[in-house]
Amino acid sequence: MRTRQADSSQNPSSSPQATYPVPTPASSPKGAYPVPTPASSTRRSAPVPNPPATPDETTVAPNPPSFAPSSGNTATSRTPAAPSFAPGSSDAATPRTPAAPSFAPGSGNTATPRTPAAPSFAPGSGNAATPRTPAAPSFAPSGNGPRQASATRSQAVPADPVPTPGATPSRTAPATAPRPRRKRRRRLVLKTLSVLLVIVLAWGGFLVWDANTNIGRVSALSGASDTAGTTYLLAGSDSRADGAVQDGFEGSERADSIMLVNIAANGQAVAVSIPRDTYAEIPGVGWDKINASYAYGGPQLLVETVEKLTGLTVDHFVQIGMGAVPDMVDAVGGVELCYDHDSNDEYSGLNWTAGCHTVDGPTALQFSRMRYQDPEGDIGRTKRQRQVISKVVSEAASPATLINPARTLRVERAGSKSFTVDEDSSIMTVASLVMALRSASSDELMGVPPIESLDYTTSAGASAVLLRDETAPDFFAKLRSGKLTTSDLNQIG
């Protein structure tokens, strides 16, 4: 069945097919899409006459709407026609079957479809829609489209609030005030630590400088080829009453104690006390008690004699005046010493009751010298001397001393004035020796080499200490390779 198009030659004002008025915000029905327009565009445009109709007849299917600019043609058929999308068109239609709203830029057409249509996302479009069925949001970079996309309640996602200039921040916003305070506290702590570090470094530098100023130096090394590891020779002397052996050596003086401290290539630290009466070969002199080498040629000949006996090259020579022991012990506040025998020795002046006692400096010196009432004689004396040295070192390196500047200075002054080192060494050499002694003590690798006899009669008729196989070659071979054990030490008879 065919229908004839409406006569378009009639006057638009008398035509039965009148144009639809554009709803205003006050009169538009609920659910319509209000189009915000400028104040100058609220006036309805005059209808534009339709062009003469063509004699052709159309079929039941509606003609496509005109998209020509400024076209005002509309078609009314039983089958609803699509609204005009032409720019500037003011025609509107409300077909029974909902039509999609105009997406043309600047279009003012609105529609209220029963089935929700997708809102216009065209740039500059003013159409808005709130469809029941959620529409896909626009991702176009243009800022003219809608900022929010409608969604169902089950899919709705709250949008992040957009900060408005001058707006009061939300009460639920996280507080940021404590951060600057924490930063200030951190900076204050760092500044405090930096100041303390500078003070500690400055204090340590002063102690090193002061010790190097007061320490004595002497030519002692032999210049022999180096051997593996590091070897220190520590000699004790009673040549000066005040213990400060700083200015040469008397020809009659002898080393009161001899201790060889070796750090092998594998890191093993061992402290070996060589009895002063040990029978040994003195270069250029012959066989005699080892401490006689000091009387014959001073510290350099003593070094050469020890090197010949042990097969180790001495890297550092350190001499301590035994007369300085009282000052060192008193500087650390006294030390606790232990001895299991009673003693009332008229030569050393030691008056001792068996057990452990905390003693002052003078008593510690008597404790180190006594040997005539000791059942082990000179061997027992070397044990007590190592005990005194070990206890003084431990107290000097203890936190109680290090955190007390006055006490630290007393210890430094007492120690530096009592030590004499070779010309290539410094107070740092003494510090390294102290650390090696602590390591040997903690590993219980302190003692004497294997002894065959404590009362060996020399060719001159003197009594001496004879090592096993005269020079204990196996023992010193293990010492050089860093393979000594605790059982290798203190073997007598």
Side-chain angles (χ1 to χ4, degrees), residues 380-412:
R381 182 172 66 170
T382 60
K383 290 180 180 179
R384 285 180 277 109
Q385 288 174 345
R386 291 195 304 269
Q387 185 181 167
V388 172
I389 294 174
S390 177
K391 292 297 181 66
V392 171
V393 167
S394 297
E395 290 296 329
S398 66
T401 299
L402 297 178
I403 64 176
N404 188 334
R407 188 173 179 178
T408 303
L409 183 61
R410 288 197 303 269
V411 173
E412 179 268 313

PDB file of all heavy atoms in Angstrom, residues 380-412:
ATOM      1  N   GLY A 380     107.427 -19.984  85.321  1.00  0.00           N
ATOM      2  CA  GLY A 380     106.292 -19.433  86.050  1.00  0.00           C
ATOM      3  C   GLY A 380     106.248 -17.916  85.941  1.00  0.00           C
ATOM      4  O   GLY A 380     105.167 -17.302  85.878  1.00  0.00           O
ATOM      5  N   ARG A 381     107.439 -17.293  85.944  1.00  0.00           N
ATOM      6  CA  ARG A 381     107.464 -15.838  85.834  1.00  0.00           C
ATOM      7  C   ARG A 381     106.941 -15.377  84.465  1.00  0.00           C
ATOM      8  O   ARG A 381     106.217 -14.377  84.382  1.00  0.00           O
ATOM      9  CB  ARG A 381     108.886 -15.317  86.055  1.00  0.00           C
ATOM     10  CG  ARG A 381     108.948 -13.810  85.994  1.00  0.00           C
ATOM     11  CD  ARG A 381     110.305 -13.280  86.397  1.00  0.00           C
ATOM     12  NE  ARG A 381     111.347 -13.651  85.457  1.00  0.00           N
ATOM     13  CZ  ARG A 381     112.587 -13.137  85.494  1.00  0.00           C
ATOM     14  NH1 ARG A 381     112.910 -12.255  86.446  1.00  0.00           N
ATOM     15  NH2 ARG A 381     113.502 -13.525  84.631  1.00  0.00           N
ATOM     16  N   THR A 382     107.320 -16.073  83.397  1.00  0.00           N
ATOM     17  CA  THR A 382     106.814 -15.678  82.076  1.00  0.00           C
ATOM     18  C   THR A 382     105.287 -15.795  82.005  1.00  0.00           C
ATOM     19  O   THR A 382     104.612 -14.981  81.362  1.00  0.00           O
ATOM     20  CB  THR A 382     107.438 -16.543  80.966  1.00  0.00           C
ATOM     21  OG1 THR A 382     107.108 -17.925  81.186  1.00  0.00           O
ATOM     22  CG2 THR A 382     108.956 -16.386  80.952  1.00  0.00           C
ATOM     23  N   LYS A 383     104.748 -16.790  82.710  1.00  0.00           N
ATOM     24  CA  LYS A 383     103.283 -16.929  82.728  1.00  0.00           C
ATOM     25  C   LYS A 383     102.639 -15.721  83.410  1.00  0.00           C
ATOM     26  O   LYS A 383     101.624 -15.185  82.938  1.00  0.00           O
ATOM     27  CB  LYS A 383     102.884 -18.207  83.468  1.00  0.00           C
ATOM     28  CG  LYS A 383     103.230 -19.494  82.728  1.00  0.00           C
ATOM     29  CD  LYS A 383     102.787 -20.699  83.534  1.00  0.00           C
ATOM     30  CE  LYS A 383     103.127 -21.996  82.826  1.00  0.00           C
ATOM     31  NZ  LYS A 383     102.709 -23.196  83.628  1.00  0.00           N
ATOM     32  N   ARG A 384     103.218 -15.307  84.544  1.00  0.00           N
ATOM     33  CA  ARG A 384     102.646 -14.160  85.253  1.00  0.00           C
ATOM     34  C   ARG A 384     102.835 -12.860  84.485  1.00  0.00           C
ATOM     35  O   ARG A 384     101.993 -11.968  84.535  1.00  0.00           O
ATOM     36  CB  ARG A 384     103.261 -14.077  86.657  1.00  0.00           C
ATOM     37  CG  ARG A 384     102.701 -15.137  87.603  1.00  0.00           C
ATOM     38  CD  ARG A 384     103.286 -15.068  88.998  1.00  0.00           C
ATOM     39  NE  ARG A 384     104.565 -15.776  89.067  1.00  0.00           N
ATOM     40  CZ  ARG A 384     105.749 -15.204  89.193  1.00  0.00           C
ATOM     41  NH1 ARG A 384     105.836 -13.876  89.241  1.00  0.00           N
ATOM     42  NH2 ARG A 384     106.846 -15.929  89.284  1.00  0.00           N
ATOM     43  N   GLN A 385     103.941 -12.735  83.773  1.00  0.00           N
ATOM     44  CA  GLN A 385     104.129 -11.546  82.944  1.00  0.00           C
ATOM     45  C   GLN A 385     103.079 -11.470  81.824  1.00  0.00           C
ATOM     46  O   GLN A 385     102.535 -10.394  81.546  1.00  0.00           O
ATOM     47  CB  GLN A 385     105.540 -11.554  82.340  1.00  0.00           C
ATOM     48  CG  GLN A 385     106.645 -11.276  83.355  1.00  0.00           C
ATOM     49  CD  GLN A 385     108.027 -11.442  82.758  1.00  0.00           C
ATOM     50  OE1 GLN A 385     108.196 -12.016  81.677  1.00  0.00           O
ATOM     51  NE2 GLN A 385     109.051 -10.952  83.472  1.00  0.00           N
ATOM     52  N   ARG A 386     102.800 -12.597  81.182  1.00  0.00           N
ATOM     53  CA  ARG A 386     101.759 -12.606  80.132  1.00  0.00           C
ATOM     54  C   ARG A 386     100.405 -12.260  80.724  1.00  0.00           C
ATOM     55  O   ARG A 386      99.584 -11.596  80.091  1.00  0.00           O
ATOM     56  CB  ARG A 386     101.717 -13.975  79.449  1.00  0.00           C
ATOM     57  CG  ARG A 386     102.927 -14.293  78.613  1.00  0.00           C
ATOM     58  CD  ARG A 386     102.655 -15.478  77.684  1.00  0.00           C
ATOM     59  NE  ARG A 386     102.225 -16.666  78.411  1.00  0.00           N
ATOM     60  CZ  ARG A 386     103.067 -17.602  78.857  1.00  0.00           C
ATOM     61  NH1 ARG A 386     104.375 -17.475  78.677  1.00  0.00           N
ATOM     62  NH2 ARG A 386     102.609 -18.669  79.485  1.00  0.00           N
ATOM     63  N   GLN A 387     100.184 -12.718  81.967  1.00  0.00           N
ATOM     64  CA  GLN A 387      98.908 -12.417  82.617  1.00  0.00           C
ATOM     65  C   GLN A 387      98.755 -10.916  82.866  1.00  0.00           C
ATOM     66  O   GLN A 387      97.689 -10.338  82.616  1.00  0.00           O
ATOM     67  CB  GLN A 387      98.800 -13.178  83.951  1.00  0.00           C
ATOM     68  CG  GLN A 387      97.460 -13.012  84.631  1.00  0.00           C
ATOM     69  CD  GLN A 387      97.368 -13.752  85.961  1.00  0.00           C
ATOM     70  OE1 GLN A 387      96.449 -13.544  86.754  1.00  0.00           O
ATOM     71  NE2 GLN A 387      98.328 -14.631  86.243  1.00  0.00           N
ATOM     72  N   VAL A 388      99.813 -10.272  83.319  1.00  0.00           N
ATOM     73  CA  VAL A 388      99.759  -8.832  83.568  1.00  0.00           C
ATOM     74  C   VAL A 388      99.521  -8.078  82.264  1.00  0.00           C
ATOM     75  O   VAL A 388      98.659  -7.186  82.179  1.00  0.00           O
ATOM     76  CB  VAL A 388     101.049  -8.348  84.254  1.00  0.00           C
ATOM     77  CG1 VAL A 388     101.062  -6.820  84.323  1.00  0.00           C
ATOM     78  CG2 VAL A 388     101.178  -8.948  85.651  1.00  0.00           C
ATOM     79  N   ILE A 389     100.273  -8.418  81.223  1.00  0.00           N
ATOM     80  CA  ILE A 389     100.115  -7.737  79.936  1.00  0.00           C
ATOM     81  C   ILE A 389      98.710  -7.921  79.383  1.00  0.00           C
ATOM     82  O   ILE A 389      98.077  -6.974  78.894  1.00  0.00           O
ATOM     83  CB  ILE A 389     101.177  -8.243  78.938  1.00  0.00           C
ATOM     84  CG1 ILE A 389     102.570  -7.825  79.394  1.00  0.00           C
ATOM     85  CG2 ILE A 389     100.890  -7.725  77.534  1.00  0.00           C
ATOM     86  CD1 ILE A 389     103.697  -8.414  78.549  1.00  0.00           C
ATOM     87  N   SER A 390      98.208  -9.133  79.458  1.00  0.00           N
ATOM     88  CA  SER A 390      96.867  -9.423  78.932  1.00  0.00           C
ATOM     89  C   SER A 390      95.796  -8.634  79.667  1.00  0.00           C
ATOM     90  O   SER A 390      94.874  -8.076  79.047  1.00  0.00           O
ATOM     91  CB  SER A 390      96.589 -10.925  79.040  1.00  0.00           C
ATOM     92  OG  SER A 390      95.278 -11.225  78.595  1.00  0.00           O
ATOM     93  N   LYS A 391      95.912  -8.556  81.002  1.00  0.00           N
ATOM     94  CA  LYS A 391      94.900  -7.834  81.772  1.00  0.00           C
ATOM     95  C   LYS A 391      94.968  -6.330  81.521  1.00  0.00           C
ATOM     96  O   LYS A 391      93.928  -5.662  81.412  1.00  0.00           O
ATOM     97  CB  LYS A 391      95.082  -8.117  83.274  1.00  0.00           C
ATOM     98  CG  LYS A 391      94.760  -9.553  83.666  1.00  0.00           C
ATOM     99  CD  LYS A 391      93.302  -9.884  83.406  1.00  0.00           C
ATOM    100  CE  LYS A 391      92.954 -11.311  83.812  1.00  0.00           C
ATOM    101  NZ  LYS A 391      93.048 -11.540  85.258  1.00  0.00           N
ATOM    102  N   VAL A 392      96.176  -5.785  81.390  1.00  0.00           N
ATOM    103  CA  VAL A 392      96.300  -4.353  81.103  1.00  0.00           C
ATOM    104  C   VAL A 392      95.718  -4.026  79.733  1.00  0.00           C
ATOM    105  O   VAL A 392      95.003  -3.028  79.554  1.00  0.00           O
ATOM    106  CB  VAL A 392      97.771  -3.911  81.194  1.00  0.00           C
ATOM    107  CG1 VAL A 392      97.940  -2.482  80.686  1.00  0.00           C
ATOM    108  CG2 VAL A 392      98.271  -4.013  82.630  1.00  0.00           C
ATOM    109  N   VAL A 393      96.013  -4.865  78.760  1.00  0.00           N
ATOM    110  CA  VAL A 393      95.490  -4.647  77.405  1.00  0.00           C
ATOM    111  C   VAL A 393      93.966  -4.702  77.396  1.00  0.00           C
ATOM    112  O   VAL A 393      93.295  -3.870  76.766  1.00  0.00           O
ATOM    113  CB  VAL A 393      96.085  -5.688  76.435  1.00  0.00           C
ATOM    114  CG1 VAL A 393      95.330  -5.687  75.116  1.00  0.00           C
ATOM    115  CG2 VAL A 393      97.560  -5.411  76.205  1.00  0.00           C
ATOM    116  N   SER A 394      93.394  -5.668  78.093  1.00  0.00           N
ATOM    117  CA  SER A 394      91.932  -5.800  78.122  1.00  0.00           C
ATOM    118  C   SER A 394      91.271  -4.586  78.759  1.00  0.00           C
ATOM    119  O   SER A 394      90.247  -4.086  78.271  1.00  0.00           O
ATOM    120  CB  SER A 394      91.532  -7.070  78.880  1.00  0.00           C
ATOM    121  OG  SER A 394      92.005  -8.221  78.218  1.00  0.00           O
ATOM    122  N   GLU A 395      91.849  -4.106  79.856  1.00  0.00           N
ATOM    123  CA  GLU A 395      91.276  -2.944  80.524  1.00  0.00           C
ATOM    124  C   GLU A 395      91.451  -1.676  79.682  1.00  0.00           C
ATOM    125  O   GLU A 395      90.569  -0.820  79.642  1.00  0.00           O
ATOM    126  CB  GLU A 395      91.929  -2.749  81.899  1.00  0.00           C
ATOM    127  CG  GLU A 395      91.551  -3.805  82.924  1.00  0.00           C
ATOM    128  CD  GLU A 395      90.073  -3.770  83.259  1.00  0.00           C
ATOM    129  OE1 GLU A 395      89.477  -2.674  83.204  1.00  0.00           O
ATOM    130  OE2 GLU A 395      89.517  -4.831  83.563  1.00  0.00           O
ATOM    131  N   ALA A 396      92.591  -1.560  78.995  1.00  0.00           N
ATOM    132  CA  ALA A 396      92.829  -0.374  78.173  1.00  0.00           C
ATOM    133  C   ALA A 396      91.875  -0.315  76.989  1.00  0.00           C
ATOM    134  O   ALA A 396      91.498   0.779  76.544  1.00  0.00           O
ATOM    135  CB  ALA A 396      94.274  -0.362  77.678  1.00  0.00           C
ATOM    136  N   ALA A 397      91.458  -1.465  76.471  1.00  0.00           N
ATOM    137  CA  ALA A 397      90.554  -1.504  75.318  1.00  0.00           C
ATOM    138  C   ALA A 397      89.099  -1.662  75.714  1.00  0.00           C
ATOM    139  O   ALA A 397      88.235  -1.806  74.849  1.00  0.00           O
ATOM    140  CB  ALA A 397      90.964  -2.651  74.385  1.00  0.00           C
ATOM    141  N   SER A 398      88.794  -1.616  76.999  1.00  0.00           N
ATOM    142  CA  SER A 398      87.411  -1.807  77.449  1.00  0.00           C
ATOM    143  C   SER A 398      86.590  -0.538  77.215  1.00  0.00           C
ATOM    144  O   SER A 398      87.130   0.573  77.144  1.00  0.00           O
ATOM    145  CB  SER A 398      87.398  -2.150  78.944  1.00  0.00           C
ATOM    146  OG  SER A 398      87.860  -1.046  79.704  1.00  0.00           O
ATOM    147  N   PRO A 399      85.254  -0.670  77.080  1.00  0.00           N
ATOM    148  CA  PRO A 399      84.398   0.506  76.904  1.00  0.00           C
ATOM    149  C   PRO A 399      84.521   1.503  78.048  1.00  0.00           C
ATOM    150  O   PRO A 399      84.418   2.717  77.832  1.00  0.00           O
ATOM    151  CB  PRO A 399      82.994  -0.094  76.824  1.00  0.00           C
ATOM    152  CG  PRO A 399      83.203  -1.494  76.341  1.00  0.00           C
ATOM    153  CD  PRO A 399      84.499  -1.925  76.947  1.00  0.00           C
ATOM    154  N   ALA A 400      84.727   1.004  79.265  1.00  0.00           N
ATOM    155  CA  ALA A 400      84.844   1.914  80.411  1.00  0.00           C
ATOM    156  C   ALA A 400      86.008   2.870  80.246  1.00  0.00           C
ATOM    157  O   ALA A 400      85.970   4.008  80.741  1.00  0.00           O
ATOM    158  CB  ALA A 400      85.000   1.102  81.699  1.00  0.00           C
ATOM    159  N   THR A 401      87.065   2.428  79.561  1.00  0.00           N
ATOM    160  CA  THR A 401      88.208   3.309  79.319  1.00  0.00           C
ATOM    161  C   THR A 401      87.994   4.187  78.093  1.00  0.00           C
ATOM    162  O   THR A 401      88.278   5.389  78.115  1.00  0.00           O
ATOM    163  CB  THR A 401      89.487   2.467  79.134  1.00  0.00           C
ATOM    164  OG1 THR A 401      89.730   1.710  80.329  1.00  0.00           O
ATOM    165  CG2 THR A 401      90.687   3.352  78.854  1.00  0.00           C
ATOM    166  N   LEU A 402      87.456   3.615  77.036  1.00  0.00           N
ATOM    167  CA  LEU A 402      87.328   4.341  75.773  1.00  0.00           C
ATOM    168  C   LEU A 402      86.322   5.481  75.845  1.00  0.00           C
ATOM    169  O   LEU A 402      86.478   6.487  75.158  1.00  0.00           O
ATOM    170  CB  LEU A 402      86.944   3.361  74.658  1.00  0.00           C
ATOM    171  CG  LEU A 402      87.985   2.268  74.355  1.00  0.00           C
ATOM    172  CD1 LEU A 402      87.461   1.336  73.274  1.00  0.00           C
ATOM    173  CD2 LEU A 402      89.314   2.884  73.940  1.00  0.00           C
ATOM    174  N   ILE A 403      85.278   5.336  76.682  1.00  0.00           N
ATOM    175  CA  ILE A 403      84.268   6.394  76.751  1.00  0.00           C
ATOM    176  C   ILE A 403      84.613   7.452  77.788  1.00  0.00           C
ATOM    177  O   ILE A 403      83.880   8.429  77.949  1.00  0.00           O
ATOM    178  CB  ILE A 403      82.875   5.802  77.070  1.00  0.00           C
ATOM    179  CG1 ILE A 403      82.864   5.165  78.458  1.00  0.00           C
ATOM    180  CG2 ILE A 403      82.445   4.826  76.009  1.00  0.00           C
ATOM    181  CD1 ILE A 403      81.495   4.653  78.884  1.00  0.00           C
ATOM    182  N   ASN A 404      85.726   7.251  78.481  1.00  0.00           N
ATOM    183  CA  ASN A 404      86.174   8.214  79.480  1.00  0.00           C
ATOM    184  C   ASN A 404      87.412   8.935  78.953  1.00  0.00           C
ATOM    185  O   ASN A 404      88.523   8.385  78.981  1.00  0.00           O
ATOM    186  CB  ASN A 404      86.495   7.488  80.793  1.00  0.00           C
ATOM    187  CG  ASN A 404      86.779   8.444  81.924  1.00  0.00           C
ATOM    188  OD1 ASN A 404      87.211   9.579  81.724  1.00  0.00           O
ATOM    189  ND2 ASN A 404      86.559   7.985  83.155  1.00  0.00           N
ATOM    190  N   PRO A 405      87.256  10.162  78.443  1.00  0.00           N
ATOM    191  CA  PRO A 405      88.398  10.847  77.840  1.00  0.00           C
ATOM    192  C   PRO A 405      89.581  11.009  78.790  1.00  0.00           C
ATOM    193  O   PRO A 405      90.736  10.822  78.380  1.00  0.00           O
ATOM    194  CB  PRO A 405      87.813  12.203  77.426  1.00  0.00           C
ATOM    195  CG  PRO A 405      86.345  11.962  77.286  1.00  0.00           C
ATOM    196  CD  PRO A 405      86.016  10.936  78.315  1.00  0.00           C
ATOM    197  N   ALA A 406      89.320  11.355  80.040  1.00  0.00           N
ATOM    198  CA  ALA A 406      90.418  11.554  80.982  1.00  0.00           C
ATOM    199  C   ALA A 406      91.185  10.254  81.220  1.00  0.00           C
ATOM    200  O   ALA A 406      92.426  10.236  81.246  1.00  0.00           O
ATOM    201  CB  ALA A 406      89.880  12.103  82.303  1.00  0.00           C
ATOM    202  N   ARG A 407      90.439   9.162  81.366  1.00  0.00           N
ATOM    203  CA  ARG A 407      91.085   7.867  81.593  1.00  0.00           C
ATOM    204  C   ARG A 407      91.848   7.424  80.347  1.00  0.00           C
ATOM    205  O   ARG A 407      92.950   6.869  80.443  1.00  0.00           O
ATOM    206  CB  ARG A 407      90.023   6.840  81.975  1.00  0.00           C
ATOM    207  CG  ARG A 407      90.574   5.499  82.418  1.00  0.00           C
ATOM    208  CD  ARG A 407      89.437   4.631  82.933  1.00  0.00           C
ATOM    209  NE  ARG A 407      89.889   3.325  83.353  1.00  0.00           N
ATOM    210  CZ  ARG A 407      89.106   2.386  83.872  1.00  0.00           C
ATOM    211  NH1 ARG A 407      87.812   2.651  84.046  1.00  0.00           N
ATOM    212  NH2 ARG A 407      89.594   1.229  84.227  1.00  0.00           N
ATOM    213  N   THR A 408      91.271   7.669  79.178  1.00  0.00           N
ATOM    214  CA  THR A 408      91.944   7.299  77.936  1.00  0.00           C
ATOM    215  C   THR A 408      93.262   8.047  77.783  1.00  0.00           C
ATOM    216  O   THR A 408      94.276   7.474  77.372  1.00  0.00           O
ATOM    217  CB  THR A 408      91.032   7.600  76.738  1.00  0.00           C
ATOM    218  OG1 THR A 408      89.794   6.906  76.891  1.00  0.00           O
ATOM    219  CG2 THR A 408      91.679   7.164  75.435  1.00  0.00           C
ATOM    220  N   LEU A 409      93.244   9.322  78.126  1.00  0.00           N
ATOM    221  CA  LEU A 409      94.464  10.119  78.010  1.00  0.00           C
ATOM    222  C   LEU A 409      95.544   9.610  78.975  1.00  0.00           C
ATOM    223  O   LEU A 409      96.724   9.547  78.613  1.00  0.00           O
ATOM    224  CB  LEU A 409      94.154  11.592  78.281  1.00  0.00           C
ATOM    225  CG  LEU A 409      95.320  12.571  78.124  1.00  0.00           C
ATOM    226  CD1 LEU A 409      95.846  12.530  76.698  1.00  0.00           C
ATOM    227  CD2 LEU A 409      94.891  13.978  78.513  1.00  0.00           C
ATOM    228  N   ARG A 410      95.139   9.222  80.190  1.00  0.00           N
ATOM    229  CA  ARG A 410      96.120   8.689  81.148  1.00  0.00           C
ATOM    230  C   ARG A 410      96.752   7.401  80.625  1.00  0.00           C
ATOM    231  O   ARG A 410      97.971   7.207  80.735  1.00  0.00           O
ATOM    232  CB  ARG A 410      95.449   8.442  82.507  1.00  0.00           C
ATOM    233  CG  ARG A 410      95.105   9.696  83.286  1.00  0.00           C
ATOM    234  CD  ARG A 410      94.836   9.364  84.747  1.00  0.00           C
ATOM    235  NE  ARG A 410      93.766   8.388  84.906  1.00  0.00           N
ATOM    236  CZ  ARG A 410      92.488   8.702  85.053  1.00  0.00           C
ATOM    237  NH1 ARG A 410      92.115   9.982  85.057  1.00  0.00           N
ATOM    238  NH2 ARG A 410      91.579   7.760  85.206  1.00  0.00           N
ATOM    239  N   VAL A 411      95.927   6.533  80.062  1.00  0.00           N
ATOM    240  CA  VAL A 411      96.450   5.272  79.526  1.00  0.00           C
ATOM    241  C   VAL A 411      97.388   5.535  78.360  1.00  0.00           C
ATOM    242  O   VAL A 411      98.465   4.930  78.250  1.00  0.00           O
ATOM    243  CB  VAL A 411      95.279   4.354  79.100  1.00  0.00           C
ATOM    244  CG1 VAL A 411      95.806   3.121  78.377  1.00  0.00           C
ATOM    245  CG2 VAL A 411      94.454   3.940  80.308  1.00  0.00           C
ATOM    246  N   GLU A 412      97.000   6.457  77.494  1.00  0.00           N
ATOM    247  CA  GLU A 412      97.845   6.771  76.324  1.00  0.00           C
ATOM    248  C   GLU A 412      99.192   7.342  76.762  1.00  0.00           C
ATOM    249  O   GLU A 412     100.244   6.949  76.241  1.00  0.00           O
ATOM    250  CB  GLU A 412      97.092   7.740  75.419  1.00  0.00           C
ATOM    251  CG  GLU A 412      97.874   8.157  74.177  1.00  0.00           C
ATOM    252  CD  GLU A 412      98.669   9.426  74.425  1.00  0.00           C
ATOM    253  OE1 GLU A 412      98.106  10.389  74.980  1.00  0.00           O
ATOM    254  OE2 GLU A 412      99.871   9.453  74.080  1.00  0.00           O
TER     255      GLU A 412
END
